[in-house]
């Protein structure tokens, strides 16, 4: 039986955090019913990548009570008596949330294992299988704004939780009673929780398929005041490339991100400092990881004597071509390349031409990482082998040892690819991208994000479904794919895709991590005037804003 929703006063009694207690007490004393309803009218739910949202009081925020309820629900779902590895990034309260999770899991009969403070998300993903744990929990809000935090949950296979398991844990969270404010005192036992490090094994795993090229390629780099620098330094030093030239005031972790425009490397303004650092050292390459180091952005010096911020689809195409061309990945038709349904189609065409199998998945690496898992075995063939996966939001997986996006591995591969192009072939990434476009046709993509305010994304998607567009401008829609009830054998998802008569494609979905509707646009074919990519992007923006 699900207990009755707690009242604000009951929540106050259970909350161990003086900051969120003071926030809620102020709302109660001021009679701010709108503020109370905003925090108590709903619960945080699993999205594309776990549970994520603003920190604050109540079940609709991230706080110590919600984190403890999550841990209790996870322990109940796991059944106790199993190992769970826990890690956290450098965000506000991440260390406190991680400690609460360990306490609750231990009290429920699980065996918590913790990684060193300020660990990257891909290291946690690797640790789950390396340590043979039943689950892993990463405390992070990835690239979200400074006031957010969240929880990413990994299953025993090292990939993020998928339906129906997330739904079961979400229901168990809603059924949890409020935990006591004071948890049992374990004293100062230095052996609890068990502390381990898998850094050496992780680095060996991600470097296993990276070729060693004996020439130096300088790199400007920023971890955006997150946790990636030490790992990128180590990897590039191991490959005899030398440590990158880092943006000094963005080098050290800062929970408040005081020196960055935004923790999100998709924001071009966020990359201004690393571009300046590249100019200072006269290098044509600048790379950024997001704060938990699972995403990577790349900026390169272009033909027009200006910097070019590569899109996720462009980086995906370059990395796919690079990895499929490596000697360690050559041979056999068992290789699997995966991309999401809202990503561009160029990677699929590259994979097919290079003798690999391309699999299209739903958005999120919980699906991409498992792309090879359910493929039917074939008599006389080697087992399917995942070698590369990506989504346009700057997420890349460059091997099958880390079953999630990995910005550290991607940074290393992209640096070595640039090194190979420059010193072996005398080419730039832009020139290689142009060669791929010559081979497979010009593919250009764009993304439109529209803030929702208080309006639910699902409501806007239903408004689109109620009046489906039959054309975008002068171009007719030839096919509409609605993934809501499941399509192409995929799990149901709130995504609409429109294929147009000229080969263009438009996809719409609500963000799984932020209050946004996202439109994904792909144009295939020669550039004309007016630019069809810009025109189509503006049409998509107007479509969403008019709803």
């Amino acid at each position: 039986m699900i207990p009755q929703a707690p009242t604000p006063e009951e929540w106050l009694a259970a909350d161990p955090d003086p900051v969120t207690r003071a926030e809620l007490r102020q709302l109660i004393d001021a009679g701010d019913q709108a503020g109370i309803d905003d925090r108590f009218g709903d619960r945080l739910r699993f999205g594309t990548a776990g549970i994520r949202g603003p920190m604050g009081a109540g079940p609709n925020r991230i706080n110590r009570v919600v984190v403890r309820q999550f841990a209790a629900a996870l322990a109940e779902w796991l059944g106790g008596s199993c190992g769970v590895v826990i890690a956290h990034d450098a965000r506000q309260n991440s260390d406190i949330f991680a400690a609460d999770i360990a306490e609750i899991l231990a009290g429920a009969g699980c065996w918590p294992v913790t990684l060193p403070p300020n660990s990257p998300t891909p290291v946690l993903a690797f640790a789950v299988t390396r340590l043979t744990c039943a689950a892993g929990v990463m405390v992070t809000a990835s690239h979200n704004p400074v006031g957010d935090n969240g929880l990413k949950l990994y299953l025993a296979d090292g990939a993020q939780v998928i339906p129906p398991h997330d739904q079961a844990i979400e229901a168990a969270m809603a059924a949890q009673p409020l935990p006591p404010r004071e948890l049992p005192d374990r004293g100062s036992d230095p052996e609890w929780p068990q502390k381990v490090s898998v850094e050496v094994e992780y680095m060996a795993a991600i470097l296993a398929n990276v070729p060693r090229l004996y020439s130096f390629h300088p790199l400007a780099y920023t971890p955006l005041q997150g946790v990636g620098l030490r790992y990128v330094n180590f990897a590039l030093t191991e490959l005899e490339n030398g440590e990158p030239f880092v943006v000094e005031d963005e080098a050290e972790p800062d929970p408040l991100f005081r020196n960055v425009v935004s923790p999100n490397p998709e924001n071009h303004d966020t990359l201004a400092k690393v571009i300046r650092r590249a100019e200072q050292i006269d290098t044509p390459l600048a790379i950024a990881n997001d704060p938990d180091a699972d995403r990577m952005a790349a900026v390169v010096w272009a033909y027009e004597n200006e910097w070019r911020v590569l899109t996720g689809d462009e980086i995906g195409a370059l990395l796919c071509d690079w990895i499929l061309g490596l000697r360690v990945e050559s041979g056999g038709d068992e290789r699997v390349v995966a991309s999401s349904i809202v990503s561009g189609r160029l990677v699929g065409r590259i994979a097919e031409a290079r003798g690999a199998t391309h699999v299209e998945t739903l958005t999120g690496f919980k699906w991409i990482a498992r792309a090879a898992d359910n493929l039917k075995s074939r008599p006389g063939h080697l087992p399917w082998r995942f070698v590369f996966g990506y989504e346009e939001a700057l997420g890349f997986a460059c091997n099958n040892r880390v079953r999630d996006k990995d910005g550290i591995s991607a940074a290393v591969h992209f640096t070595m690819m640039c090194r190979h192009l420059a010193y072996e072939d005398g080419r730039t990434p832009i020139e290689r991208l142009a060669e791929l476009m010559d081979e497979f046709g010009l593919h250009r993509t764009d993304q439109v994000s529209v803030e929702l305010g208080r309006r639910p994304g699902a409501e806007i998607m239903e408004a689109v479904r109620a009046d489906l567009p039959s054309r975008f401008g002068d171009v007719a829609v030839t096919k509409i794919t609605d993934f809501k009830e499941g399509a192409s054998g995929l799990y149901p998802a709130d995504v609409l895709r429109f294929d147009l008569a000229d080969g263009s494609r438009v996809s719409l979905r609500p963000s799984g991590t932020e209050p946004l509707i996202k439109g994904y646009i792909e144009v295939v074919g020669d550039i004309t005037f007016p630019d069809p990519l810009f025109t189509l992007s503006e049409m998509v923006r107007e479509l969403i804003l008019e709803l």
Side-chain angles (χ1 to χ4, degrees), residues 119 242 452:
S119 289
L452 303 178

Side-chain angles (χ1 to χ4, degrees), residues 86-325:
I86 304 163
H88 66 83
D89 67 4
R91 281 182 177 260
Q92 287 180 293
N93 293 326
S94 285
D95 56 341
I96 296 171
F97 293 161
D100 276 349
I101 292 167
E103 288 279 2
I104 294 292
L105 289 174
C110 295
W111 311 315
V113 179
T114 62
L115 298 187
N118 299 344
S119 289
T121 291
V123 177
L124 181 279
F126 172 80
V128 176
T129 53
R130 172 63 184 84
L131 301 174
T132 322
C133 287
V137 181
M138 180 71 198
V139 183
T140 179
S142 192
H143 62 287
N144 274 40
V146 62
D148 287 10
N149 215 322
L151 307 167
K152 293 181 178 179
L153 174 61
Y154 294 79
L155 301 184
D157 65 355
Q160 289 191 46
V161 64
I162 54 174
H165 310 305
D166 53 357
Q167 298 163 356
I169 296 167
E170 191 176 276
M173 282 182 67
Q176 292 299 314
L178 289 172
R181 180 184 291 185
E182 300 299 328
L183 298 178
D185 184 8
R186 295 181 177 273
S188 57
D189 181 359
E191 300 300 320
W192 191 93
Q194 183 181 356
K195 302 175 179 65
V196 300
S197 175
V198 296
E199 293 177 358
V200 173
E201 294 96 327
Y202 164 77
M203 297 307 306
I206 70 167
L207 295 178
N209 67 333
V210 182
R212 295 178 178 270
L213 305 171
Y214 298 100
S215 55
F216 180 69
H217 192 82
L219 168 69
Y221 172 75
T222 176
L224 294 181
Q225 296 197 276
V227 298
L229 176 60
R230 185 160 61 92
Y231 298 83
V232 172
N233 276 349
F234 182 90
L236 292 179
T237 301
E238 279 290 296
L239 293 171
E240 302 184 22
N241 194 79
E243 293 186 356
F245 295 84
V246 70
V247 178
E248 292 181 0
D249 69 352
E250 295 179 349
E252 295 301 319
D254 178 13
L256 299 179
F257 302 109
R258 281 168 283 210
N259 294 326
V260 301
V261 173
S262 161
N264 188 353
E266 291 181 274
N267 182 338
H268 287 196
D269 291 340
T270 296
L271 305 175
K273 286 186 179 179
V274 76
I275 291 173
R276 286 201 296 272
R277 189 74 177 106
E279 291 173 340
Q280 290 170 356
I281 63 172
D282 193 26
T283 182
L285 176 62
I287 283 177
N289 284 138
D290 68 342
D292 68 327
D294 67 347
R295 298 178 187 236
M296 182 206 73
V299 190
V300 297
W301 189 248
Y303 285 127
E304 302 84 2
N305 291 328
E306 63 182 21
W307 290 101
R308 166 93 169 271
V309 179
L310 296 177
T311 68
D313 287 311
E314 290 171 334
I315 298 172
L318 287 166
L319 284 176
C320 178
D321 175 63
W322 161 254
I323 287 172
L324 291 179

Side-chain angles (χ1 to χ4, degrees), residues 401-441:
R401 298 294 303 280
V402 180
R403 288 169 62 85
D404 199 8
K405 55 184 176 289
D406 184 349
I408 299 166
S409 175
V412 172
H413 269 284
F414 197 86
T415 300
M416 302 311 284
M417 179 201 72
C418 291
R419 186 172 173 178
H420 172 80
L421 289 172
Y423 293 102
E424 299 294 327
D425 299 328
R427 290 175 294 169
T428 69
I430 297 298
E431 288 172 325
R432 181 59 189 148
L433 196 59
E435 291 170 356
L436 292 173
M437 298 292 186
D438 287 340
E439 184 177 356
F440 300 104

